[in-house]
Amino acid sequence: MASYKVGYFVGSLSSTSINRRLAKALIRLAPPDLQLVEIPIRDLPLYSQDYDADYPPVARTFKEAIADCDALLFVTPEFNRSIPGGLKNAIDWASRPWGQNSFARKPSGVIGASPGAIGTAVAQSQLRSVLCFCNSPLMNTVEAYIHFKEGLITAEGEITDESTRNFLRNYMTELHAFIVRVLTVLPRTA
C-alpha cells in the first residue's frame, strides 16, 4: 500500500492556537499511510507581485515544501468571518508567480476549530473558493467545523470526547481515501 506525505498549514500564528491543538490531534488519528508534516507560514513576508521575478529564500523554501508533498491539509481558524491574513498571504505566495501555482492538481482538505457555535464554516467556505481557483481538488464529502470548548483537545493533541475523536478519525480516513482517488486519476508524474 502506498504512503502519502500530507503537508499541513495551521492558519493561526498564535503559540496557543486551538487549531494547532487540532492539527496535533489529527496527526495522532491519521491512518498509518499518511505522514503529516507542518509547512510553516509564520516567516513569510507580505506577498507582492514585485517578488515574482526573484522570490526571497523563505518563499522558495515554502514552495519547495509544498512541492514535496502529495496532498495538503488546511487547519484554520476563522477571523472576523474570514480566512486569517497569514494563511491568505501564504496561499498568495504558493500560487504565484503566474504559471507556477503550487496547488494545481494537489488534493486538499479543509478543517478548523473555533469557540463559536458554527465552528469555522464561513472561513472554510471562503478558503474552499480560493483553493478552487487555485485548481486544488478539494475533499467535500466530509466537512468538519469543530466547536471548540476548553478541555476538548489538550495541548498535546489528546481528544477528551469520544464522539469527537471518532468523528476526527473518520475525517482522516476519508481524507486518505480522497487522496488515493485523486492521485489515481491525476498522478503526480502526469
Side-chain angles (χ1 to χ4, degrees):
M1 191 173 284
S3 179
Y4 300 95
K5 186 174 182 180
V6 180
Y8 71 90
F9 305 93
V10 177
S12 171
L13 302 179
S14 170
S15 63
T16 59
S17 166
I18 61 176
N19 282 280
R20 182 161 301 286
R21 288 186 193 186
L22 175 58
K24 288 178 183 178
L26 296 172
I27 292 167
R28 289 172 171 260
L29 297 171
D33 297 333
L34 295 185
Q35 174 198 4
L36 277 82
V37 294
E38 183 173 6
I39 301 176
I41 64 173
R42 171 179 296 282
D43 296 330
L44 290 167
L46 289 176
Y47 172 76
S48 168
Q49 190 173 352
D50 295 341
Y51 290 114
D52 283 0
D54 185 23
Y55 261 34
V58 67
R60 286 195 301 269
T61 299
F62 176 70
K63 285 182 70 84
E64 289 166 5
I66 295 170
D68 191 41
C69 292
D70 299 302
L72 302 169
L73 178 61
F74 294 81
V75 186
T76 186
E78 182 172 294
F79 291 173
N80 300 317
R81 295 278 191 254
S82 188
I83 306 166
L87 182 57
K88 178 60 169 74
N89 183 56
I91 293 168
D92 291 344
W93 276 107
S95 64
R96 300 294 176 172
W98 188 258
Q100 297 177 33
N101 174 12
S102 299
F103 299 120
R105 299 173 58 165
K106 196 164 293 252
S108 60
V110 177
I111 191 170
S114 170
I118 61 169
T120 57
V122 179
Q124 287 191 43
S125 174
Q126 292 179 0
L127 180 54
R128 288 174 189 280
S129 178
V130 171
L131 292 172
C132 276
F133 177 79
C134 291
N135 195 26
S136 178
L138 290 162
M139 181 175 81
N140 292 310
T141 57
V142 179
E143 296 177 316
Y145 313 113
I146 307 306
H147 179 194
F148 183 86
K149 294 180 181 172
E150 194 54 49
L152 178 67
I153 306 172
T154 69
E156 295 77 31
E158 282 289 334
I159 301 170
T160 60
D161 177 74
E162 185 176 353
S163 66
T164 302
R165 186 172 39 255
N166 291 339
F167 175 80
L168 292 175
R169 183 176 288 112
N170 180 65
Y171 179 89
M172 294 305 289
T173 299
E174 290 293 328
L175 179 63
H176 177 244
F178 175 75
I179 292 167
V180 170
R181 283 192 308 272
V182 170
L183 294 179
T184 298
V185 175
L186 299 171
R188 290 199 58 199
T189 56

